[in-house]
Amino acid sequence: MKLKSLICGVLLMAAYPALAQTDEEKGYAIQAEANRRDNGYIDSMHDAVMTLKNAQGEVSTREFVVKTLEVADDGDKEMGIFHSPADVKGTAVLTFSHGTKPDDQWIYLPSLKRVKRVATVNKSGPFVGSEFAFEDISSWELDKYRYRYLRDEEIDGNDCFVVENYPVYEYSGYTKQIEWLDKKMYQPRKIEFYDRKGALLKTLTFSDYNQYLDRYWRAGKLQMDNVQNGKSTELLRKNYRFKNNFSDRDFTENALKNVR
């Protein structure tokens, strides 16, 4: 029995290198599982309040609603419609997220009464004056990045995988992101964004998670801190509603012009 156990052990050790994942394969597998767990919600809608704070501590707020439509074999469609303050009321942003090709984005400006397409190279710019860039507000898609597993680490009492995400998108404002992904929910707890020079630019933290439809986790609070300019943006999300019977007709340029 001892000899048989020894032989089996040697055979397993010999086979192990062929079975072992590289850090890149493990990183991809972790993110693929996160993607799998979030599929199938069909559509959603929620209310949001964005609070902007500058380096001097001055505060301004934006209130808006977000509608999302899940798209099979492609990225989600999302529309954000602003209700306040007066200078952004009626502004609406439409995003068609994609995997390996650039996202499509349009913004409706009520002062001009026209829809303007957001240029591919401008998506690293600030979204309505916040510390979120246009590329930050598009849905996360698995094929948008290459991945590398770094380590396991606990953050705020939560066990996480730590994975590096490298944007495939050539005009991304980031060289990489480092993400702490909760092992139980497979949702982010923290993301660090590194600029085109490789320096830490922003840190995004996620908290106040709630589960919907007994499956889908959504963070109630997102905090984006820009470590280079001292500004920050807090995003609060509430009143999630799923299965709203949205269709592609609700996410068109014409629909963008007629938002209320």
Side-chain angles (χ1 to χ4, degrees):
M1 293 295 292
K2 289 183 178 179
L3 179 59
K4 185 177 179 181
S5 297
L6 178 62
I7 291 172
C8 288
V10 170
L11 289 173
L12 285 171
M13 290 176 66
Y16 180 77
L19 298 174
Q21 289 179 306
T22 65
D23 290 337
E24 288 74 16
E25 290 169 338
K26 185 172 182 179
Y28 182 87
I30 290 168
Q31 297 288 21
E33 176 63 12
N35 183 64
R36 185 192 69 80
R37 292 191 183 200
D38 207 49
N39 281 341
Y41 67 89
I42 302 176
D43 66 38
S44 71
M45 182 176 181
H46 68 270
D47 301 318
V49 178
M50 184 181 281
T51 302
L52 288 60
K53 184 182 291 185
N54 65 21
Q56 291 72 44
E58 297 171 331
V59 171
S60 60
T61 61
R62 313 241 189 281
E63 295 185 14
F64 56 104
V65 65
V66 178
K67 301 177 180 180
T68 306
L69 178 68
E70 192 174 34
V71 179
D73 302 319
D74 200 358
D76 297 342
K77 295 182 178 181
E78 186 169 281
M79 185 182 293
I81 306 159
F82 285 82
H83 299 312
S84 72
D87 61 340
V88 297
K89 183 177 181 180
T91 299
V93 179
L94 176 64
T95 301
F96 291 1
S97 297
H98 304 295
T100 56
K101 65 178 183 178
D103 298 334
D104 295 304
Q105 286 181 312
W106 300 264
I107 185 168
Y108 174 69
L109 302 170
S111 59
L112 301 177
K113 295 184 179 180
R114 62 184 288 259
V115 173
K116 180 180 179 182
R117 189 179 181 92
V118 180
T120 301
V121 294
N122 287 340
K123 291 177 184 174
S124 60
F127 173 64
V128 292
S130 74
E131 293 313 300
F132 288 87
F134 274 90
E135 68 178 296
D136 300 336
I137 65 167
S138 64
S139 68
W140 173 82
E141 303 299 330
L142 184 62
D143 293 338
K144 281 187 175 184
Y145 303 92
R146 293 179 295 104
Y147 304 99
R148 184 165 72 96
Y149 165 78
L150 296 179
R151 60 187 180 275
D152 290 358
E153 188 170 289
E154 186 177 291
I155 182 170
D156 297 328
N158 303 292
D159 289 331
C160 295
F161 301 110
V162 185
V163 180
E164 273 186 331
N165 309 327
Y166 300 94
V168 174
Y169 175 54
E170 130 180 57
Y171 297 108
S172 173
Y174 313 116
T175 51
K176 67 177 181 180
Q177 303 168 8
I178 299 180
E179 179 176 2
W180 283 255
L181 197 71
D182 189 288
K183 290 184 178 182
K184 293 181 179 179
M185 298 186 299
Y186 276 79
Q187 287 287 330
R189 290 286 181 179
K190 177 182 174 182
I191 302 176
E192 292 180 344
F193 298 84
Y194 289 78
D195 66 18
R196 297 300 300 175
K197 295 180 180 179
L200 177 62
L201 173 63
K202 302 184 296 191
T203 298
L204 178 60
T205 54
F206 301 76
S207 59
D208 298 341
Y209 272 99
N210 287 291
Q211 191 178 39
Y212 300 89
L213 306 180
D214 298 320
R215 177 177 175 181
Y216 303 105
W217 292 96
R218 297 291 183 268
K221 179 180 177 180
L222 285 72
Q223 178 71 32
M224 182 75 87
D225 295 305
N226 190 314
V227 301
Q228 294 188 10
N229 64 19
K231 298 180 181 180
S232 66
T233 299
E234 176 191 77
L235 177 60
L236 300 180
R237 307 188 296 191
K238 61 182 181 179
N239 298 330
Y240 267 94
R241 291 88 81 192
F242 290 82
K243 302 186 187 304
N244 303 279
N245 294 318
F246 292 150
S247 70
D248 289 329
R249 294 190 304 273
D250 299 306
F251 297 86
T252 65
E253 289 188 57
N254 282 334
L256 198 62
K257 295 175 185 176
N258 296 314
V259 295
R260 295 290 184 270

